[in-house]
């Protein structure tokens, strides 16, 4: 899982590994009932979805100049849909998608 | 004795587009969907940057984030008991001062940030917070206010507003309004009793640029600082989780929450509405106020009106009177 050098060994639980970009041990994508769907034509990059997402699931792709959604962790709170200034975001029922409701191999 | 002096000057953010891209509070945590405290944690961590140590007194932001072996913090973080967030911050800061004085550590003094809930800062953790402010430690104390002890099942706390329905203040035939007491005012508590404090501010998740600038200003100041952040809780306040930011905005528009900063004895106000909306508009969206009768809402309106004219908070431009009850 993770390796601690022998000389720095401490009782398990005292020190936990820090994540870098995401915490893969707590995947929350299967919580949601509805998912936000973006219409890139209408999006004017106002950044509201990026700033207001509590789970940091919207990120700006600087190269493509568009916002990218993170399906793995989005809990489906839909704050982004509520705060979108241009109505580029809309909600869609999760089961309507082929990859809808992410089933985890191992439940928590 | 050489004392480590902060030389950092975190630049202020002008526009929402200039908010830094790096996340220090990464996705993959167990908070509820639409969590206001998680949103403010993300923004505070973004504003503070990599040279930061977070201290987490027991509360939602410890219990729901730090499940065994999986924490979402990219920067160093340590759990403290709910009573002693301020005391541990004092110790961490003093230890770094000594390491820098003895030449065992190069570079800047880290930003020590205590991320305490309303219980961990002005109820159970009040003595440690007060002692940290009194002893002039260079740390930032953030009180994220979701107005209840939310992780144990929405019990009342000293900042729970009048009339809220919580597990400890259920409305019934004897007490129809639920909570009978009016809440504490944490920033005034800190300003009034701690001469060492240089910077105190209130912020809200509805205005993220304002929030991040206040965090950066507080971290640039040498000495103890205090931030009181309004963070709506969809589960505890009983509203739809997509309305977290909307509720936070309404709190400011109705005068339930006032955005100000206090620096060197002077008050400055931000995002003050031209005309205040009646508090009814804020309360009708929340299930915790659903049982209130007209008399109770009038009492709440009177409390908010008095707060907007309070002599303790000098108002540069007098606040316009709230609109009459419809």
């Amino acid at each position: 899982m993770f390796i601690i050098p022998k000389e720095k060994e401490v009782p398990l639980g005292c020190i936990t590994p820090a994540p870098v970009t995401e915490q893969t041990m707590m995947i929350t994508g299967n919580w949601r009932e509805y998912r936000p769907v973006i219409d890139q034509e209408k999006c004017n990059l106002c950044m509201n979805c990026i700033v207001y997402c509590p789970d940091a699931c919207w990120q700006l792709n600087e190269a493509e100049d568009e916002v990218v959604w993170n399906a793995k962790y989005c809990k489906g709170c839909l704050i982004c849909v509520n705060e979108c200034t241009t109505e580029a975001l809309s909600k869609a029922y999760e089961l309507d998608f082929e990859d809808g409701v992410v089933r985890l191999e191992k439940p928590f | 004795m050489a004392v480590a002096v902060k030389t950092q000057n975190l630049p202020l953010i002008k526009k929402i587009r200039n908010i830094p891209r790096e996340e220090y509070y990464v996705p993959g945590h167990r908070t509820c969907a639409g969590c206001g405290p998680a949103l403010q944690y993300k923004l505070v961590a973004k504003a503070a940057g990599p040279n930061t140590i977070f201290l987490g007194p027991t509360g939602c932001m410890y219990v729901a984030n730090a499940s065994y072996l999986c924490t979402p913090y990219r920067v160093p973080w340590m759990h403290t008991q709910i009573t002693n967030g301020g005391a541990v911050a004092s110790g961490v800061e003093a230890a770094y001062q000594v390491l820098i004085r003895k030449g065992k550590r190069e570079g800047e003094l880290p930003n020590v940030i205590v991320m305490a809930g309303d219980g961990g800062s002005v109820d159970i953790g009040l003595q440690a917070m007060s002692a940290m402010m009194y002893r002039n430690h260079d740390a930032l104390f953030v009180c994220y206010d979701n107005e209840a002890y939310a992780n144990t099942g929405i019990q009342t706390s000293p900042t729970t507003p009048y009339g809220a329905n919580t597990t400890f203040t259920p409305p019934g035939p004897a007490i129809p309004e639920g909570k009978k007491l009016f809440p504490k005012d944490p920033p005034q508590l800190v300003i009034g009793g701690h001469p060492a404090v240089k910077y105190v501010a209130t912020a809200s998740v509805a205005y993220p640029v304002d929030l991040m600038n206040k965090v950066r200003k507080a971290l640039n100041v040498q000495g103890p600082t205090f931030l009181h952040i309004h963070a709506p809780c969809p589960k505890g306040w009983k509203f739809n989780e997509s309305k977290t930011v909307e509720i936070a905005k309404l709190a400011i528009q109705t005068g339930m929450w006032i955005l100000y900063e206090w620096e060197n004895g002077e008050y400055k106000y931000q995002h003050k509405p031209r005309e205040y909306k009646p508090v009814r508009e804020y309360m009708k969206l929340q299930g915790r106020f659903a049982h209130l009768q007209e008399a109770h809402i009038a009492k709440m309106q009177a409390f908010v009106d008095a707060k907007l004219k309070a002599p303790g908070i000098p108002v540069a431009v007098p606040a316009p009177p709230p609109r009459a009850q419809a």
Side-chain angles (χ1 to χ4, degrees), chain B residues 4-9 51 96 100 105-111:
Chain B
V5 176
K6 245 185 207 174
T7 52
Q8 71 173 359
N9 190 14
N51 187 24
Y96 272 97
I100 290 170
R105 183 190 149 89
E106 299 283 315
E108 187 80 23
L109 190 75
N111 306 319

Side-chain angles (χ1 to χ4, degrees), chain A residues 12 19-21 23 26 28 31 45 47 50-55 59-60 62 73 75 77-79 82-83, chain B residues 17 21 23 26-31 34-35 39 42 68 70-71 73-74 205-206 208 241-242 245-246 249:
Chain A
L12 198 63
V20 178
T21 53
Q23 177 52 269
M26 183 58 72
T28 51
W31 290 18
L45 298 178
M47 307 279 287
I50 296 174
V51 170
Y52 286 125
C53 180
D55 294 273
Q59 291 298 336
L60 186 67
E62 306 243 10
Y73 295 99
K75 292 170 186 166
C77 67
L78 303 179
I79 290 178
N82 214 23
E83 295 305 316
Chain B
R17 276 167 204 272
R21 304 275 179 268
E23 300 287 351
V26 301
H29 43 82
R30 221 160 36 109
T31 56
C35 178
L39 174 52
K42 184 191 91 165
Y68 185 60
C70 68
T71 55
Y73 320 104
R74 204 173 137 192
V205 291
E241 66 263 26
S242 66
V245 175
E246 202 181 315
K249 269 186 189 145

Side-chain angles (χ1 to χ4, degrees), chain B:
Chain B
M1 186 182 95
V3 178
V5 176
K6 245 185 207 174
T7 52
Q8 71 173 359
N9 190 14
L10 297 169
L12 298 188
I13 299 158
K14 292 218 173 67
K15 281 182 187 164
I16 200 164
R17 276 167 204 272
N18 303 343
I19 285 180
R21 304 275 179 268
E22 295 83 25
E23 300 287 351
Y24 295 98
Y25 178 76
V26 301
H29 43 82
R30 221 160 36 109
T31 56
C32 312
C35 178
L39 174 52
Q40 67 81 26
Y41 213 133
K42 184 191 91 165
L43 295 170
V44 171
K46 251 182 201 252
N51 187 24
T52 304
I53 296 174
F54 277 114
L55 302 169
T58 308
C60 268
M61 289 299 100
Y62 155 65
V63 173
N65 287 330
S67 320
Y68 185 60
L69 283 183
C70 68
T71 55
Y73 320 104
R74 204 173 137 192
V75 290
W77 170 90
M78 187 161 77
H79 169 54
T80 78
Q81 301 300 316
I82 190 166
T83 47
N84 62 5
V88 175
S90 311
V92 169
E93 191 264 353
Y96 272 97
Q97 294 273 16
V98 170
L99 284 178
I100 290 170
R101 193 181 80 216
K102 292 189 174 173
K104 292 189 178 174
R105 183 190 149 89
E106 299 283 315
E108 187 80 23
L109 190 75
N111 306 319
V112 181
I113 302 180
V114 190
M115 196 59 87
D118 42 323
S121 49
V122 290
D123 192 13
I124 304 176
L126 178 60
Q127 41 79 21
M129 186 268 278
S130 178
M132 187 196 96
M133 303 288 177
Y134 156 70
R135 286 190 302 254
N136 202 0
H137 286 286
D138 194 355
L140 165 62
F141 201 104
V142 175
C143 167
Y144 66 87
D145 196 352
N146 57 0
E147 302 185 345
Y149 285 95
N151 80 72
T152 48
I154 331 294
Q155 285 88 10
T156 182
S157 87
T159 56
T160 306
Y162 165 81
N165 175 4
T166 66
T167 320
F168 281 174
T169 58
I175 306 171
E177 70 258 56
K179 189 178 173 181
K180 286 203 292 186
L181 303 169
F182 283 95
K184 279 187 191 179
D185 194 349
Q188 292 302 318
L189 200 67
V190 174
I191 292 168
H194 303 87
V197 178
K198 302 280 188 315
Y199 184 84
V200 175
T202 60
S204 168
V205 291
Y207 296 99
V209 176
D210 177 67
L211 189 154
M212 291 175 76
N213 282 339
K214 280 169 175 169
V215 171
R216 290 195 160 182
K217 265 189 198 173
L219 292 174
N220 289 343
V221 167
Q222 186 97 30
T225 45
F226 184 80
L227 269 186
H228 190 207
I229 300 178
H230 195 224
C233 169
K235 182 81 182 66
W237 303 8
K238 301 185 186 73
F239 62 85
N240 188 315
E241 66 263 26
S242 66
K243 297 206 184 319
T244 302
V245 175
E246 202 181 315
I247 294 256
K249 269 186 189 145
L250 264 177
I252 290 157
Q253 286 163 3
T254 54
M256 291 286 290
W257 193 266
I258 308 167
L259 286 182
Y260 63 86
E261 55 184 354
W262 178 87
E263 198 173 9
N264 301 324
E266 277 182 38
Y267 286 88
K268 276 183 212 151
Y269 289 81
Q270 289 88 26
H271 298 288
K272 210 153 82 172
R274 291 255 171 81
E275 196 177 359
Y276 286 96
K277 290 179 180 171
V279 289
R280 181 195 306 273
E281 290 191 23
Y282 172 69
M283 295 168 101
K284 76 180 177 195
L285 285 176
Q286 300 173 39
R288 61 174 176 167
F289 295 123
H291 59 282
L292 289 187
Q293 297 155 8
E294 284 304 309
H296 304 140
I297 294 178
K299 203 171 168 187
M300 189 73 180
Q301 182 72 57
F303 171 73
V304 171
D305 292 356
K307 196 170 76 170
L308 293 174
K309 291 181 204 153
I313 309 174
V315 182
V317 183
R323 224 186 288 158
Q325 287 280 310

